Amino acid sequence: MFSYRHAFHAGNHADVLKHTVLLAVLRHMAQKDAALTIFDTHAGAGLYRLDGDYAQTSAEAAEGFLKLVATKPKEPFAPLLQDYLDLVASFNKAGSHKVYPGSPFIIHRVIQERDRDKLKLFELHPTDTKTLTANIAQLEAGRQIAILREDGFEGIKKFLPPPSRRALLLCDPSYELKTDYGRVAEMVADSLVRFATGTYAVWYPIIPRPEAHDLPKKLKTLANKAGKSWLGATLTVKSSKLLQDDEGEVIRPGLPASGMFIINPPHTLKAGLQKALPQMVELLKQDANATFTLESGG
Ligand code: SAM
């Protein structure tokens, strides 16, 4: 079974990028009254403690979300970042940062007053499914939220196109298996055939591995071939080069960068990220290689 547990990584710089973009996309889609369906093909446990054993082991949030709230930016926070920070703060007592919401809870917060919307969560890991189920039960969301202990790549097929005809799909695998990269591209290709007007948001790691390098290129090609607009945003916080300690031992740098690729993005997203991404770089940079990219097409 898989060993990836998001609890080790919750609130890291990749979550800052992913969740800021997710929230911005969803806020825009929720401006219209018409019903929405949101799919989270790799949901995780839903809610995380930043002071728990898992989080302490890697302390990744210290270089991500916790660093953002601890540092005063030169300028006020960009609106998209402020919205993300406010949303995370709403899960905590004033001034405390112990709880971090994963994508299911971020999504639910936006749609909770909209009974007509539906949220479908896929999670395959038995322990995470159990925790997710217990966490979601506290929301008393009834039939608005469904948890499926299924392979998200396959399970999504039966739901597309959704009756609502308006939908956002977040695809956020752990990429623990090399095959995940290919499966993401296949799922997006298949989904665009089934439901071309959906909004698709894919997170991916930027690491020195050919499959990772190729994925955003493949997604761009798929969007262009389908004649759909797209937006790609990346955040790099440090160099990906391997370092050596004083004894010559190789130090693994940890995740240096990640990206979000969105097909059929809201037209407001690029302008919002143009303000938010430089601030993420300023506040989360770990060395002189920190940077962002933002491109769009279609
Ligand atoms: N989306 C979550 C968030 O932002 O809070 C984090 C998800 S985490 C990066 C990826 C999750 O996918 C893990 O919990 C893992 O157990 C689960 N997983 C792995 N392979 C899967 C599959 N084929 N289908 C559904 N879930 C899977």
Side-chain angles (χ1 to χ4, degrees):
M1 196 57 209
F2 307 119
S3 60
Y4 179 95
R5 316 302 305 283
H6 195 66
F8 287 112
H9 311 282
N12 67 2
H13 62 83
D15 266 7
V16 172
L17 173 69
K18 180 204 315 172
H19 293 153
T20 301
V21 172
L22 169 67
L23 183 60
V25 171
L26 201 51
R27 288 264 193 239
H28 188 269
M29 294 180 83
Q31 278 172 11
K32 283 195 187 148
D33 276 347
L36 270 174
T37 308
I38 299 107
F39 301 100
D40 193 345
T41 58
H42 297 70
L47 215 47
Y48 305 94
R49 286 203 68 96
L50 295 182
D51 59 350
D53 286 347
Y54 284 119
Q56 292 296 332
T57 308
S58 69
E60 288 190 24
E63 296 285 3
F65 167 73
L66 292 174
K67 200 166 175 185
L68 270 190
V69 289
T71 325
K72 230 181 154 13
K74 288 186 204 130
E75 311 261 318
F77 280 113
L80 295 194
L81 260 183
Q82 186 65 59
D83 191 23
Y84 159 74
L85 293 173
D86 289 347
L87 185 136
V88 180
S90 72
F91 286 87
N92 288 281
K93 291 195 187 118
S96 129
H97 306 294
K98 289 184 178 166
V99 176
Y100 188 83
S103 49
F105 275 69
I106 292 175
I107 296 164
H108 174 259
R109 199 37 81 81
V110 179
I111 64 166
Q112 62 182 350
E113 307 292 337
R114 295 167 50 96
D115 294 345
R116 57 208 173 281
D117 294 351
K118 297 270 182 274
L119 172 56
K120 304 215 182 290
L121 304 169
F122 295 90
E123 174 54 52
L124 206 48
H125 197 292
T127 313
D128 280 346
T129 310
K130 221 167 135 189
T131 313
L132 177 66
T133 305
N135 283 333
I136 292 289
Q138 291 175 36
L139 295 172
E140 297 184 352
R143 291 167 64 178
Q144 190 181 34
I145 306 182
I147 300 172
L148 299 106
R149 194 180 151 195
E150 288 177 29
D151 173 11
F153 295 121
E154 271 301 312
I156 188 65
K157 292 182 181 170
K158 60 179 170 285
F159 291 113
L160 299 181
S164 62
R165 289 286 170 176
R166 294 183 70 229
L168 167 64
L169 182 150
L170 171 67
C171 182
D172 178 28
S174 45
Y175 297 96
E176 197 184 355
L177 301 173
K178 226 167 46 176
T179 48
D180 275 359
Y181 295 94
R183 296 192 77 197
V184 170
E186 278 165 26
M187 187 210 66
V188 170
D190 180 74
S191 300
L192 280 171
V193 173
R194 291 171 193 269
F195 182 48
T197 53
T199 295
Y200 298 91
V202 175
W203 179 87
Y204 60 93
I206 300 177
I207 48 175
R209 158 175 272 204
E211 297 85 357
H213 186 70
D214 288 347
L215 181 56
K217 289 186 187 165
K218 281 189 184 167
L219 294 173
K220 210 181 285 183
T221 304
L222 285 172
N224 285 335
K225 275 196 179 154
K228 299 296 165 192
S229 59
W230 56 268
L231 179 148
T234 69
L235 173 67
T236 300
V237 297
K238 61 181 169 184
S239 163
S240 63
K241 287 210 181 84
L242 295 179
L243 301 170
Q244 286 188 337
D245 67 13
D246 295 343
E247 273 94 54
E249 291 286 323
V250 172
I251 307 170
R252 292 194 172 278
L255 183 69
S258 71
M260 279 291 271
F261 192 90
I262 297 102
I263 299 176
N264 292 324
H267 66 275
T268 50
L269 186 60
K270 193 169 187 186
L273 287 174
Q274 239 144 15
K275 293 194 179 119
L277 284 167
Q279 229 171 18
M280 287 186 203
V281 173
E282 176 201 328
L283 298 173
L284 300 180
K285 67 169 179 264
Q286 293 181 37
D287 66 28
N289 296 281
T291 188
F292 73 91
T293 63
L294 180 60
E295 50 170 356
S296 59

